[in-house]
């Protein structure tokens, strides 16, 4: 279909929302460059490649690996139109029990890997004067009050913040930015391969262990969100003339956001007199 269908570059494409997205894009005739750390997983799910599909083995923590993949996508398709930063993984553990190495590893993938992709795709988008970057955060990038999710929330709050700044930086180049905050969708995100836990767990953190057990056993496989509908929404916003900067996905994400905004407003109202009395006297 040539330039009738735009070129997508999607990270974390061998599982989760990324896999659903790539399958739906290809079914609708889009051109897709899809990345994963594992070549076998990628090819088992999506095939070895064709004119409209380019599978790429990428370690998004390695900027040179990302750079080479972006160059390969541009060489294959001639351009990139839509970038989806989907690669990431969950981490459950209290801030005390998660080691520095475990915490930094989550940031390396969820935040710095995303920055590697943005840094290496923006020159093409900026030069062509168009494009759309979709960064996948989480409902936990807006509502963080869940035991055991501190580091993961910190990575996803960071994604929201950098996306908002990126939008302000690149809008004059004709590039749109959307940060998606999905709730619980029925993918393998809560499975062992996508959800990290601390090596050294502290028994005293009963609420953290209960949260961990609930996510791994009760919530996993019973998430209310349909991933097919989630990725259809992502494709739909990519066709908008003015796509949203912030996109909450799922009723649970909307409910959590409403609850958090109400809580913030209540706290602002309660402390307004105290907080406003901090300026120099006129």
């Amino acid at each position: 279909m040539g330039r009738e269908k735009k070129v997508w570059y999607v990270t974390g494409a061998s599982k989760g929302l990324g896999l659903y997205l790539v399958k739906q894009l290809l079914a609708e005739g889009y051109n897709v460059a899809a990345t994963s750390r594992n070549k076998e997983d990628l090819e088992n799910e999506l095939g070895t490649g064709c004119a409209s599909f380019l599978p790429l083995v990428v370690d998004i923590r390695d900027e040179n690996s990302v750079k080479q993949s972006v160059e390969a996508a541009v060489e294959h398709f001639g351009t990139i139109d839509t970038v989806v930063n989907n690669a990431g993984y969950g981490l459950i553990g209290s801030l005390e029990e998660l080691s520095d190495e475990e915490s930094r590893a989550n940031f390396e993938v969820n935040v710095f890997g995303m920055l590697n992709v943005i840094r290496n795709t923006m020159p093409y988008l900026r030069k062509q004067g168009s494009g759309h970057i979709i960064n996948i955060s989480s409902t936990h990038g807006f509502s963080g009050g869940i035991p055991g999710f501190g580091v993961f929330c910190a990575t996803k709050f960071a994604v929201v913040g950098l996306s908002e700044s990126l939008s302000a930086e690149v809008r004059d180049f004709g590039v749109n930015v959307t940060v998606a905050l999905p709730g619980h969708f029925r993918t393998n995100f809560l499975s062992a391969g996508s959800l990290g836990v601390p090596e050294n767990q502290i028994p005293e953190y009963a609420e953290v262990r209960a949260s961990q057990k609930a996510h791994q056993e009760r919530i996993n496989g019973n998430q209310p969100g349909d991933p097919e509908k989630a990725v259809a929404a992502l494709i739909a916003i990519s066709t908008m003339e003015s796509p949203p900067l912030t996109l909450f996905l799922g009723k649970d994400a909307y409910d959590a956001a409403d609850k958090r905004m109400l809580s913030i407003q209540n706290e602002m109202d309660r402390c307004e007199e105290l907080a406003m009395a901090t300026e120099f006297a006129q």
Side-chain angles (χ1 to χ4, degrees):
M1 294 187 179
R3 298 297 295 139
E4 291 181 17
K5 291 292 187 178
K6 293 185 175 181
V7 178
W8 290 59
Y9 177 97
V10 182
T11 68
S14 63
K15 57 186 176 181
L17 284 180
L19 178 59
Y20 281 95
L21 176 60
V22 172
K23 285 184 175 180
Q24 198 163 135
L25 287 169
L26 292 173
E28 294 185 19
Y30 286 92
N31 298 309
V32 183
T35 84
S36 175
R37 286 181 302 167
N38 190 306
K39 182 179 181 180
E40 185 176 337
D41 288 347
L42 198 60
E43 293 185 344
N44 284 345
E45 293 287 354
L46 296 164
T48 57
C50 59
S52 62
F53 172 55
L54 179 66
L56 296 164
V57 178
V58 178
D59 182 352
I60 65 168
R61 301 168 300 178
D62 181 343
E63 182 158 13
N64 189 54
S65 177
V66 171
K67 183 175 185 293
Q68 290 177 354
S69 73
V70 172
E71 290 174 346
V74 172
E75 181 179 355
H76 186 81
F77 294 116
T79 189
I80 293 174
D81 297 296
T82 305
V83 176
V84 181
N85 281 302
N86 169 73
Y89 69 95
L91 184 64
I92 297 181
S94 74
L95 296 176
E96 179 184 353
E97 62 193 352
L98 284 168
S99 68
D100 180 74
E101 182 180 5
E102 290 168 331
S103 300
R104 287 178 184 272
N106 204 214
F107 271 89
E108 284 292 337
V109 174
N110 292 6
V111 179
F112 291 106
M114 180 176 293
L115 289 173
N116 284 337
V117 174
I118 292 168
R119 194 180 298 116
N120 284 279
T121 54
M122 264 309 302
Y124 296 99
L125 305 183
R126 177 165 46 82
K127 184 177 180 181
Q128 70 195 20
S130 65
H132 192 179
I133 296 174
I134 301 174
N135 295 328
I136 307 298
S137 177
S138 165
T139 184
H140 298 315
F142 189 77
S143 306
I146 302 177
F149 278 81
V151 169
F152 176 72
C153 285
T155 68
K156 293 304 185 179
F157 270 75
V159 170
V160 173
L162 71 86
S163 298
E164 292 181 356
S165 291
L166 179 65
S167 176
E169 292 167 358
V170 304
R171 63 167 64 108
D172 287 346
F173 304 128
V175 178
N176 295 309
V177 176
T178 296
V179 57
L181 295 91
H184 290 93
F185 283 85
R186 202 167 299 176
T187 70
N188 58 1
F189 184 75
L190 294 177
S191 63
S194 299
L195 185 67
V197 296
E199 182 177 351
N200 298 308
Q201 299 181 9
I202 300 173
E204 286 81 355
Y205 281 101
E207 285 193 47
V208 173
R209 297 286 79 78
S211 177
Q212 177 181 331
K213 181 179 177 67
H215 280 82
Q216 290 178 318
E217 298 179 11
R218 178 173 59 82
I219 299 174
N220 188 29
N222 295 299
Q223 298 95 323
D226 182 342
E228 295 279 5
K229 294 177 181 178
V231 300
L234 295 178
I235 296 171
I237 65 162
S238 76
T239 67
M240 293 181 181
E241 185 175 346
S242 298
L245 170 56
T246 306
L247 177 69
F248 288 97
L249 283 173
K251 183 180 183 299
D252 58 339
Y254 264 76
D255 290 346
D258 284 339
K259 183 178 179 180
R260 180 60 179 142
M261 285 187 283
L262 179 60
S263 174
I264 291 172
Q265 188 62 59
N266 288 339
E267 290 180 349
M268 289 178 67
D269 293 344
R270 182 166 63 90
C271 298
E272 182 176 5
E273 184 176 351
L274 177 67
M276 296 291 280
T278 55
E279 297 185 354
F280 287 107
Q282 296 298 318

